[in-house]
């Protein structure tokens, strides 16, 4: 079994071999099954499935290389024609015909002439444009050699003719961003966009050259994160590993090939999934979620595996990084048994560790605060180790290990205050049999209860002066995604936090609506900004509601000015989809007054005109923002709200008409609705991404989402 499924043998004649060691390994895997939360009647089935994996796959031939992109605008328009429609949304679940102005825009490949800030922000977007935002990263038709198709490598100067407006002189440093970039292997697209290989890009904002009329050099670079899984599948020209969200190898008898990386994925039959993936527990680390600069290192993060270190200039992958020796093995599943089982009798696929994709930098200490995790499979709990690192040599400052009972999935994000760490555990349950049998990927094997109460677990930070006994608080139903900030209220002593999340719903599917070709807004609940208040003395939830000033703002990836991340920040920034309470694609940015904004709730569908927002247009899509502080202001006579606005907002935006992306720069001392002060256009489109960072001190630290 080990011989057959060793990734280094993928696609070779060696895959046809069967040896005694393989049978012994299957027996060792079966030893652990009675301890897992599955029905006893399932055990014989799983044994059969394990034996199916021994079937030879001689005769398998990997598909051919990826086909070339469309070479002309005419071909592109013809390809998109069947998706010329106003996309379906949560509140309008049926796609609608394009009105004359939008139809004319797509036919002529232009932006609608009648759009302005008063008509935008209602959640209207075009399905064809949204699909193109999730095309694999590649060279544009007019410059076939711009991007290396094997590595994703590109490098060029962003010249003056590519910049609209003026880049502020004090915006100096490197912007990095990570996200799905390579959407499959050979001709076959991933089943879920979040299973795609990571693409890291950088934009270097060079210093003005005083000897050359203050000329600045802006440089763009890109590269795929070349994990071991990435290289193995690239060499095999086929899927070898299971993905977190359902992508998986096909069985030897399944000769189906895809129609290209930018075509709809072809479904894998149940028999093919089972025969090829039963008992294959190693999940591919795509390193596609976050990138941070800290302690002189640049790390690409993925929450179900170890970080990957990158060269901060070339973006070449150096290899896995164990965060200064604080993390465990990456080649094994992040799971272990609570009982003492002799090592020789333990299945060798467990015993690994994974690190969150969302560490935080404490604005008070400068420490990086993160956590690694390991599932304790036989008692349905999660073991977490919180660690704080110094930027001086990336050295560990302090660490503590805790256990979270009843937690079957590591939380995606956390909230850090001056003394506490808060983890909100959503109502999810794992169907272990579906995962082990190969029927579903790990994420799809999670059942979600959108109306069940949830728990918030509060722990002392490893460096907190006053250590306390961890405790949990019951919170009404609400699915949390990303925290913006949190603080310990000086007057009440309460813990207050803000996060993006979904309201109570009947949804049973965890992120399934992000599957297929692109996220499907009609299946996704509107993402709102929430305020949570907890009383540590009574250990009760005092309040959970839509944040003040955020009524009907469908927004994600919330952030505050970094120095205010553990304070009552007046302003929050987020990528905006609309201000009328619908679930739609993101196309702008919003500034929310979450401390003193209005608390009245508007009827769903009514536009909140009091929110400061900027909408790029129907045919643009905006990515997660970064808040970059301006030069530090030590003038105590300056009002707090002015200091809080002393920053820039940077965001990646895709222009569907030009089929190119640009970096938008907003000066936050101006209202967002005034628009960006600069746009730095790139030479190609960059796929819709996730998280990133900005560093201006040679990577010692950074601000990130």
């Amino acid at each position: 079994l080990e011989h057959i499924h060793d990734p280094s043998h993928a696609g070779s004649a060696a895959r046809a071999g069967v040896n005694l060691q393989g049978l012994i390994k299957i027996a060792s895997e079966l030893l652990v099954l009675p301890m897992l939360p599955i029905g006893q009647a399932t055990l014989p089935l799983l044994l059969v499935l394990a034996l199916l994996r021994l079937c030879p796959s001689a005769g398998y031939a990997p598909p051919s290389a990826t086909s070339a992109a469309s070479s002309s605008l005419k071909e592109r328009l013809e390809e998109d024609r069947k998706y010329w429609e106003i996309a379906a949304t949560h509140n309008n679940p049926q796609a609608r015909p394009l009105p004359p102005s939008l139809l004319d825009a797509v036919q002529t490949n232009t932006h609608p002439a009648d759009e302005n800030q008063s008509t935008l922000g209602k959640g209207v977007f075009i399905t064809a444009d949204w699909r193109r935002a999730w095309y694999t990263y590649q060279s544009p038709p007019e410059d076939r050699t711009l991007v290396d198709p094997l590595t994703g490598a590109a490098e060029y100067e962003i010249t003056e003719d590519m910049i609209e407006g003026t880049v502020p002189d004090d915006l100096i440093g490197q912007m990095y961003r990570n996200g799905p970039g390579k959407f499959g292997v050979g001709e076959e697209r991933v089943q879920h966009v979040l299973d795609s290989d990571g693409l890291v890009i950088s934009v270097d904002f060079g210093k003005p050259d005083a000897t050359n009329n203050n000329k600045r050099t802006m440089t763009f670079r890109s590269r795929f994160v070349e994990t071991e899984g990435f290289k193995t599948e690239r060499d095999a020209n086929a899927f070898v590993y299971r993905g977190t969200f359902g992508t998986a190898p096909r069985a030897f008898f399944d000769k189906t090939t895809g129609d290209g990386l930018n075509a709809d994925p072809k479904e894998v039959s149940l028999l093919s999934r089972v025969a090829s993936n039963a008992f294959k527990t190693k999940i591919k680390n795509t390193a596609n979620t976050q990138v941070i600069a800290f302690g002189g290192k640049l790390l690409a993060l993925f929450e179900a595996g170890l970080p990957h270190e990158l060269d901060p200039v070339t973006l070449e992958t150096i290899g896995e990084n164990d965060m200064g020796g604080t993390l465990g093995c990456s080649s094994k599943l992040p799971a272990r048994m609570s009982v003492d089982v002799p090592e020789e009798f333990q299945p060798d696929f467990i015993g690994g560790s994974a690190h969150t994709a969302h560490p935080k930098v404490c604005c008070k200490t400068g420490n990086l605060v993160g956590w690694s995790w390991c599932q304790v499979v036989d008692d349905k709990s999660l073991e977490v180790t919180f660690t704080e690192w110094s930027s001086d040599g990336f050295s560990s400052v302090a660490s503590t290990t805790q256990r979270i009972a009843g937690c079957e999935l590591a939380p995606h994000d956390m909230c850090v205050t001056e003394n506490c760490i808060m983890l909100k555990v959503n109502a999810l349950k794992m169907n272990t049999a579906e995962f082990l049998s190969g029927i579903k990927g790990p994420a799809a094997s999670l059942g979600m209860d959108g109306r069940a109460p949830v728990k918030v677990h509060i722990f002392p930070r490893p460096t907190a002066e006053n250590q306390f006994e961890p405790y949990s608080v019951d919170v009404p139903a609400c699915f949390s995604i990303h925290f913006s900030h949190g603080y310990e209220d000086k007057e009440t002593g309460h813990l207050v936090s803000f996060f993006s999340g979904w309201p109570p719903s009947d949804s049973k599917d965890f992120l399934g609506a992000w599957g297929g070709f692109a996220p499907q807004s009609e299946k996704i609940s509107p993402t709102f900004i929430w305020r949570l208040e907890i009383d540590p003395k009574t250990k009760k939830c005092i309040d959970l509601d839509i944040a003040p000033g955020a009524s009907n703002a469908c927004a994600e990836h919330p952030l505050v000015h970094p120095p205010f991340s553990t304070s009552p920040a007046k302003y929050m920034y987020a990528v905006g989809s609309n201000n009328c309470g619908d679930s739609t694609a993101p196309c702008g940015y919003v500034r929310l007054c979450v401390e003193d904004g209005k608390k009245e709730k508007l009827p769903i569908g009514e536009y909140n005109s009091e929110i400061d927002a900027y909408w790029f247009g129907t045919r643009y899509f905006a990515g997660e923002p970064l808040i970059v502080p301006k030069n530090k202001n030590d003038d105590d006579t300056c009002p707090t709200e002015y200091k809080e606005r002393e920053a820039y907002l940077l965001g990646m935006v895709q222009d569907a008409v030009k089929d190119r992306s640009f970096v938008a720069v907003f000066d936050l001392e101006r209202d967002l609705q005034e628009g960006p002060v600069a746009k730095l256009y790139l030479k190609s489109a960059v796929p819709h991404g996730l998280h990133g960072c900005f560093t201006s001190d040679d990577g010692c630290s950074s601000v990130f989402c």
Side-chain angles (χ1 to χ4, degrees):
L1 184 63
E2 182 178 59
H3 189 61
I4 295 171
H5 292 286
D6 184 341
S8 64
H9 301 148
S12 70
R15 291 183 60 187
V18 178
N19 57 28
L20 181 60
Q21 183 181 4
L23 295 174
I24 294 173
K25 286 177 65 61
I26 287 180
S28 71
E29 291 175 352
L30 291 176
L31 284 175
V32 77
L33 289 179
M35 305 181 206
L36 297 177
I38 59 177
Q40 293 299 309
T42 311
L43 298 182
L45 171 62
L46 294 181
L47 175 59
V48 173
L49 299 178
L51 294 174
L52 269 175
R53 285 176 54 196
L54 294 175
C55 295
S57 55
Y60 168 83
S64 59
T66 305
S67 58
S70 299
S71 59
S72 69
L73 175 60
K74 180 179 178 181
E75 289 176 336
R76 172 186 160 186
L77 293 178
E78 198 60 39
E79 181 181 338
D80 289 348
R81 188 177 296 275
K82 62 181 176 180
Y83 299 108
W84 285 4
E85 62 189 19
I86 294 179
T89 70
H90 186 269
N91 296 347
N92 296 283
Q94 299 298 322
R96 293 165 286 164
L98 294 177
S101 61
L102 288 184
L103 181 59
D104 179 69
V106 296
Q107 288 176 332
T108 58
N109 195 42
T110 57
H111 289 290
D114 58 351
E115 288 186 344
N116 55 58
Q117 292 302 302
S118 65
T119 62
L120 295 169
K122 310 297 195 303
V124 174
F125 64 105
I126 300 171
T127 302
D129 292 343
W130 182 231
R131 287 172 61 88
R132 284 197 166 268
W134 299 92
Y135 271 25
T136 205
Y137 184 55
Q138 58 193 1
S139 297
E142 63 272 15
D143 188 353
R144 298 285 190 178
T145 62
L146 181 68
V147 179
D148 183 335
L150 294 180
T151 65
E155 179 176 349
Y156 52 83
E157 182 179 348
I158 302 174
T159 54
E160 291 183 2
D161 60 312
M162 299 165 65
I163 300 174
E164 295 180 7
T166 303
V167 179
D169 287 341
D170 61 342
L171 182 59
I172 300 170
Q174 293 77 39
M175 184 191 86
Y176 298 98
R177 201 208 63 176
N178 197 355
K182 186 171 180 288
F183 289 84
V185 184
E187 291 284 346
E188 187 165 11
R189 187 177 173 91
V190 292
Q191 296 291 320
H192 195 292
V193 294
L194 296 183
D195 279 335
S196 306
D197 291 296
L199 168 70
V200 173
I201 67 163
S202 70
V203 176
D204 185 359
F205 292 82
K207 296 179 180 179
D209 184 355
T211 64
N212 189 17
N213 295 322
N214 284 329
K215 181 178 175 5
R216 303 180 64 180
T217 300
M218 315 283 183
T219 306
F220 171 85
R221 296 181 180 90
S222 66
R223 201 170 183 102
F224 296 132
V225 184
E226 296 183 82
T227 65
E228 285 303 312
F230 173 94
K231 292 185 289 187
T232 298
E233 292 188 335
R234 181 179 62 190
D235 294 342
N237 205 29
F239 292 122
V240 175
Y241 298 97
R242 298 179 72 178
T244 301
F245 293 91
T247 303
R250 294 179 182 272
F252 67 94
F253 52 79
D254 185 352
K255 303 295 185 180
T256 304
T257 58
D259 295 326
L261 301 191
N262 296 332
D264 289 297
K266 288 190 174 180
E267 186 176 351
V268 183
S269 70
L270 176 62
L271 181 59
S272 181
R273 290 198 302 270
V274 170
S276 184
N277 300 291
F279 281 100
K280 289 181 71 172
T281 57
K282 184 173 181 180
I283 303 301
K284 181 182 177 182
N285 183 340
T286 55
N288 67 4
T289 310
Q290 169 66 296
V291 57
I292 64 170
F294 189 82
K297 298 181 184 296
L298 184 68
L299 302 177
L301 305 181
F302 174 71
E303 62 193 43
L306 297 193
H308 280 74
E309 185 176 354
L310 311 177
D311 185 292
V313 178
T314 67
L315 304 181
E316 291 180 89
T317 303
I318 297 172
E320 285 188 335
N321 186 284
D322 64 1
M323 308 281 278
T326 59
L327 305 181
C329 177
S330 66
S331 62
K332 298 181 179 181
L333 197 68
R336 70 174 184 83
M337 308 299 296
S338 65
V339 295
D340 293 327
V341 178
E343 185 175 347
E344 61 269 24
F345 294 112
Q346 292 188 31
D348 64 2
F349 59 77
I350 66 173
S353 179
H355 190 270
T356 178
H358 281 291
K360 310 287 186 182
V361 171
C362 175
C363 61
K364 304 293 185 183
T365 65
N367 290 346
L368 180 71
V369 185
W371 54 283
S372 57
W373 61 271
C374 180
Q375 198 76 46
V376 184
V377 296
D378 54 325
D379 71 353
K380 297 185 178 181
S381 66
L382 191 75
E383 184 175 272
V384 297
T385 298
F386 300 108
T387 305
E388 298 197 28
W389 291 272
S390 167
S391 61
D392 183 10
F394 215 121
S395 56
S396 174
V397 176
S399 181
T400 58
T401 299
Q402 309 284 356
R403 181 80 68 88
I404 305 176
C407 181
E408 299 188 40
L409 176 72
H412 179 62
D413 199 1
M414 67 176 176
C415 179
V416 173
T417 68
E418 289 188 34
N419 296 289
C420 304
I421 294 173
M422 301 168 61
L423 294 178
K424 186 171 179 288
V425 177
N426 295 310
L428 297 163
K429 297 292 181 183
M430 169 67 83
N431 186 325
T432 310
E434 287 185 336
F435 169 59
L436 289 177
S437 66
I439 294 174
K440 294 182 178 180
S445 299
L446 288 163
M448 172 179 164
D449 187 348
R451 296 199 178 276
V454 298
K455 286 186 179 292
V456 174
H457 299 267
I458 295 96
F459 306 92
R461 279 179 52 176
T463 57
E465 291 186 7
N466 298 319
Q467 295 290 310
F468 57 85
E469 189 69 24
Y471 61 94
S472 62
V473 175
D474 292 323
V475 173
C478 178
F479 193 99
S480 64
I481 308 174
H482 295 111
F483 283 91
S484 61
H485 66 298
Y487 58 90
E488 299 152 29
D489 191 290
K490 303 301 182 184
E491 295 183 3
T492 65
H494 294 174
L495 294 174
V496 179
S497 61
F498 295 84
F499 61 88
S500 62
W502 302 323
S505 72
D506 294 321
S507 177
K508 303 295 181 184
D509 191 6
F510 173 62
L511 288 182
W514 282 63
F517 192 91
Q520 302 165 328
S521 296
E522 70 272 22
K523 297 181 179 179
I524 304 173
S525 295
T527 305
F528 296 126
I529 303 300
W530 299 78
R531 180 185 183 275
L532 171 65
E533 185 173 353
I534 289 173
D535 184 349
K537 292 183 178 179
T538 62
K539 298 179 175 53
K540 290 184 178 181
C541 174
I542 301 300
D543 183 51
L544 174 66
D545 207 344
I546 301 296
S551 180
N552 278 359
C554 182
E556 236 291 51
H557 305 301
L559 294 170
V560 298
H561 193 299
F564 292 78
S565 60
T566 59
S567 305
K570 179 177 180 179
Y571 302 111
M572 176 194 291
Y573 303 89
V575 60
S577 295
N578 61 80
N579 282 345
C580 54
D582 199 358
S583 177
T584 64
C587 55
Y589 296 106
V590 297
R591 180 186 351 233
L592 306 172
C593 297
V594 294
E595 285 293 333
D596 55 8
K598 288 187 177 181
K599 296 183 178 181
E600 293 82 2
K601 292 187 179 64
L602 299 175
I604 294 296
E606 183 175 328
Y607 186 83
N608 190 339
S609 59
E610 297 195 11
I611 294 175
D612 180 23
Y614 182 80
W615 311 105
F616 290 95
T618 299
R619 307 196 67 190
Y620 294 90
F621 299 105
E624 180 175 26
L626 277 169
I627 309 301
V628 180
K630 293 185 179 181
N631 293 330
K632 185 177 179 182
N633 186 346
D634 291 322
D635 182 1
D636 291 333
T637 64
C638 210
T640 301
E641 56 265 28
Y642 176 78
K643 282 188 176 180
E644 193 177 337
R645 292 179 65 156
E646 197 172 38
Y648 299 110
L649 183 152
L650 276 60
M652 288 289 297
V653 182
Q654 188 168 137
D655 183 334
V657 171
K658 294 184 178 180
D659 201 20
R660 293 167 62 189
S661 297
F662 61 84
V663 180
V665 180
F666 291 82
D667 185 339
L668 295 182
E669 292 188 48
R670 299 160 27 125
D671 290 341
L672 282 181
Q673 61 187 357
E674 296 180 45
V677 296
K679 295 180 182 178
L680 289 75
Y681 267 91
L682 309 181
K683 291 186 176 182
S684 70
V686 174
H688 196 78
L690 295 175
H691 310 293
C693 70
F694 189 96
T695 179
S696 54
D697 57 5
D698 296 323
C700 288
S701 189
S702 59
V703 294
F704 47 84
C705 350

